[in-house]
Amino acid sequence: MRLENKIAVITGAGSGMGKEEAVRFAKEGAIVVATDIDYEAVKSVEEQIKANGGKALALKHDVSSKEDWEQVFTKTIDAFTNLDILVNNAGISLPKPFMEQTEQDWAKAYQINVNSVMFGMQLAVPYMEKNNGGSIVNISSISALIGMAGAGAYTASKGAVRSISKAAAVDFGKKNIRVNSVHPGYIVTPMSAASMEDPKYKEYFLSQVALPNLGNAEEVANAVLFLASDEASHITGIELPVDGGVTAK
Ligand code: NAP
């Protein structure tokens, strides 16, 4: 198995890509600490993993709270001793025209999409260092790579995720801690389904993708799994689009 006995914390694991990553990682032998602001959702992911013979622990976690992060790692180490993998997946989209965005929108995007990644990495690194290394995968977006209309605070927050991932890759490389970012494109999940499956907009999204279909959560989870695993042992500081060729155009 590709992640045998690795201890992996995955945020936003109650829905969409995070849920798919949790289930996939567990199938590959990882012990998954699945966290989400929605405890009921993540508890059902824990139950699904256990029903399939895997190991998981669900924790309620608001990623914008440093105190919550401290508790997540304390509980992870108490239960499983080590930390090998962190996937900073939880995030929100803020679909609002740039000129209508408020200071509050900007602050919210940063608190949930960026502070989360900073807290998670700051608190994970000492545990990974004790463990002689680890792998961190931060979920950004293609909006950090190309200009996307109307993305405003979201695009800025995902751009920050891209650049702090590279900086952390340089800072922690000698400790054998790898840090990479994944950049999903048009992926149908509960976050995006209302617009991406709406016949009014679907043709537009499809026209942006080079491949025949929009993406799904499993396709992103496959990329995250690779970067999290030892198969990517010489890969750090990269930005991996999972976008069906949107950014190739
Ligand atoms: P999703 O289905 O909405 O899942 C995100 C999960 O994160 C939800 O369970 C959500 O809970 C949770 N969450 C929200 N705020 C949180 C907080 N403060 N603390 C902890 N958990 C929180 O979204 P997704 O599409 O899988 O997105 C996953 C990641 O990919 C996000 O970072 C997103 O920005 C990024 N992304 C998505 C797309 C796309 O096309 N879908 C494209 C590019 C990048 P609630 O449902 O209760 O809010």
Side-chain angles (χ1 to χ4, degrees):
M1 285 196 276
R2 296 164 73 188
L3 297 178
E4 194 148 20
N5 294 325
K6 300 273 191 194
I7 319 298
V9 171
I10 304 175
T11 68
S15 172
M17 300 177 205
K19 178 177 177 179
E20 197 60 44
E21 286 149 17
V23 171
R24 186 87 170 84
F25 276 33
K27 274 191 195 147
E28 293 294 343
I31 299 164
V32 175
V33 179
T35 83
D36 203 288
I37 201 160
D38 181 345
Y39 180 70
E40 293 308 313
V42 88
K43 185 72 188 163
S44 84
V45 173
E46 178 198 293
E47 282 158 12
Q48 184 184 334
I49 290 172
K50 286 181 170 169
N52 291 330
K55 292 185 187 150
L57 171 67
L59 296 175
K60 182 170 173 63
H61 179 198
D62 176 352
V63 291
S64 66
S65 157
K66 190 168 186 182
E67 204 183 318
D68 272 21
W69 270 107
E70 284 163 349
Q71 286 186 18
V72 163
F73 287 128
T74 301
K75 286 177 182 164
T76 300
I77 299 301
D78 283 353
F80 306 119
T81 319
N82 285 327
L83 176 67
D84 299 291
I85 296 164
L86 169 63
V87 181
N88 277 309
N89 163 78
I92 54 162
S93 71
L94 278 153
K96 207 175 192 186
F98 185 77
M99 297 303 279
E100 288 171 23
Q101 279 169 6
T102 63
E103 228 176 305
Q104 288 76 15
D105 295 330
W106 196 267
K108 191 174 174 193
Y110 267 71
Q111 278 157 9
I112 298 177
N113 293 351
V114 187
N115 294 8
S116 57
V117 174
M118 178 188 69
F119 294 148
M121 292 202 296
Q122 274 186 341
L123 293 165
V125 161
Y127 292 116
M128 290 181 171
E129 202 178 342
K130 270 191 215 156
N131 200 22
N132 299 317
S135 175
I136 298 173
V137 183
N138 295 326
I139 307 302
S140 177
S141 162
I142 53 166
S143 68
L145 305 175
I146 55 172
M148 274 178 75
Y154 180 77
T155 232
S157 70
K158 291 300 186 179
V161 171
R162 170 183 177 269
S163 46
I164 54 175
S165 300
K166 286 191 190 297
V170 172
D171 277 346
F172 307 124
K174 293 292 187 211
K175 299 181 194 301
N176 199 29
I177 297 169
R178 297 183 295 104
V179 186
N180 294 292
S181 57
V182 167
H183 298 254
Y186 298 117
I187 312 295
V188 182
T189 68
M191 179 191 273
S192 62
S195 59
M196 283 180 198
E197 289 183 333
D198 183 330
K200 267 195 297 195
Y201 305 116
K202 192 168 180 182
E203 281 313 307
Y204 166 76
F205 289 121
L206 278 171
S207 72
Q208 302 301 301
V209 178
L211 291 174
N213 300 308
L214 300 180
N216 62 47
E218 194 183 341
E219 291 168 313
V220 179
N222 287 336
V224 175
L225 168 65
F226 167 67
L227 289 174
S229 78
D230 292 341
E231 292 162 20
S233 57
H234 203 55
I235 299 177
T236 197
I238 69 155
E239 48 194 47
L240 177 59
V242 183
D243 69 348
V246 177
T247 53
K249 287 186 163 189

